[in-house]
């Protein structure tokens, strides 16, 4: 299974469109969003996704009820953290990396995805850890997303 990883889109509509176009072109099976979508109007730009999205709320997502409402049929939202299984791979998705070291040490997961820092972080130890960076490009100047193959745990970082 191929996963599209995105985080910290922060209302940058042109970059959201680029990410959605990329995920559709690459035929990912599922999109994971590491939080900070920000505005419910971003749903209009995520709506063309051909596959389902799972998202966690970020610290800047203030209008949570309306985000959930606008994203009906596009994404399922979770508060801070969610565990998933995809093609036999055990995955943890969260916004803030509060318990990142504990999750790595426990080796309960094959893949841990997070956001919040706006910095790309890709490392393989006991588990594959990925922060795809910020898709908005507002802070780092780089708008990035990632695609992971869960069978091989190969990852491609893509600049939008």
């Amino acid at each position: 299974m191929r996963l599209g990883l995105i985080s910290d889109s922060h209302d940058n509509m042109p970059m959201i469109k680029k990410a959605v176009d990329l995920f559709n072109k690459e035929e990912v099976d599922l999109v994971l969003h590491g939080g900070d979508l920000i505005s419910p109007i971003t749903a209009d730009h995520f709506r063309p996704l051909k596959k389902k999205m799972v998202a966690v709320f970020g610290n800047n997502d203030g209008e949570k009820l309306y985000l959930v409402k606008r994203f009906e049929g596009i994404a399922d939202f979770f508060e801070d953290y969610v565990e998933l299984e995809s093609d036999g791979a055990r995955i943890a998705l969260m916004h803030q990396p509060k318990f990142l070291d504990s999750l790595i040490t426990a080796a309960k997961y094959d893949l841990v995805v997070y956001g919040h820092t706006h910095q790309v972080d890709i490392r393989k130890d006991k588990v594959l850890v990925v922060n795809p960076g910020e898709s908005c490009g507002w802070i780092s100047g780089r708008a990035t997303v990632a695609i992971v193959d869960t069978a091989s745990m190969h990852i491609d970082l893509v600049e939008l």
Side-chain angles (χ1 to χ4, degrees), residues 30-61:
L30 178 68
V31 174
L32 303 180
H33 196 300
D36 279 354
L37 290 94
I38 310 302
S39 173
I41 62 172
T42 59
D44 295 339
H45 298 274
F46 279 103
R47 191 164 309 284
L49 269 174
K50 294 179 181 174
K51 298 295 181 174
K52 187 79 167 182
M53 184 166 75
V54 173
V56 290
F57 288 118
N59 58 302
N60 286 299
D61 292 322

Side-chain angles (χ1 to χ4, degrees), residues 7-8 114-122 129-134:
S7 189
D8 296 281
Y114 73 100
H116 185 64
T117 66
H118 293 246
Q119 297 296 315
V120 172
D121 178 13
I122 299 172
V129 175
V130 181
N131 181 333
E134 59 174 0

Side-chain angles (χ1 to χ4, degrees), residues 10-156:
H10 286 273
D11 284 350
N12 189 329
M13 307 307 181
M15 292 303 155
I16 292 170
K17 181 184 181 336
K18 285 183 179 185
V20 167
D21 289 346
L22 173 74
F23 293 150
N24 287 341
K25 178 183 166 224
E26 293 294 324
E27 298 180 345
V28 300
D29 299 295
L30 178 68
V31 174
L32 303 180
H33 196 300
D36 279 354
L37 290 94
I38 310 302
S39 173
I41 62 172
T42 59
D44 295 339
H45 298 274
F46 279 103
R47 191 164 309 284
L49 269 174
K50 294 179 181 174
K51 298 295 181 174
K52 187 79 167 182
M53 184 166 75
V54 173
V56 290
F57 288 118
N59 58 302
N60 286 299
D61 292 322
E63 191 64 45
K64 293 178 181 178
L65 291 176
Y66 197 45
L67 271 167
V68 170
K69 177 81 173 144
R70 288 293 305 270
F71 274 83
E72 283 179 359
I74 305 167
D76 294 327
F77 278 88
F78 296 87
E79 193 57 43
D80 297 316
Y81 166 88
V82 64
E83 295 178 343
L84 308 156
E85 189 165 323
S86 175
D87 199 29
R90 299 162 300 160
I91 303 165
L93 172 65
M94 61 188 165
H95 182 62
Q96 296 188 35
K98 293 179 186 176
F99 306 107
L100 187 58
D101 292 336
S102 297
L103 293 175
I104 293 168
T105 303
K108 178 180 175 184
Y109 303 101
D110 301 300
L111 172 63
V112 176
V113 180
Y114 73 100
H116 185 64
T117 66
H118 293 246
Q119 297 296 315
V120 172
D121 178 13
I122 299 172
R123 53 191 146 126
K124 177 74 170 152
D125 190 7
K126 295 178 182 178
V127 302
L128 177 60
V129 175
V130 181
N131 181 333
E134 59 174 0
S135 60
C136 65
W138 298 132
I139 294 175
S140 70
R142 289 179 71 201
T144 55
V145 297
I147 298 175
V148 175
D149 182 311
T150 59
S152 66
M153 286 300 168
H154 175 80
I155 183 163
D156 288 313

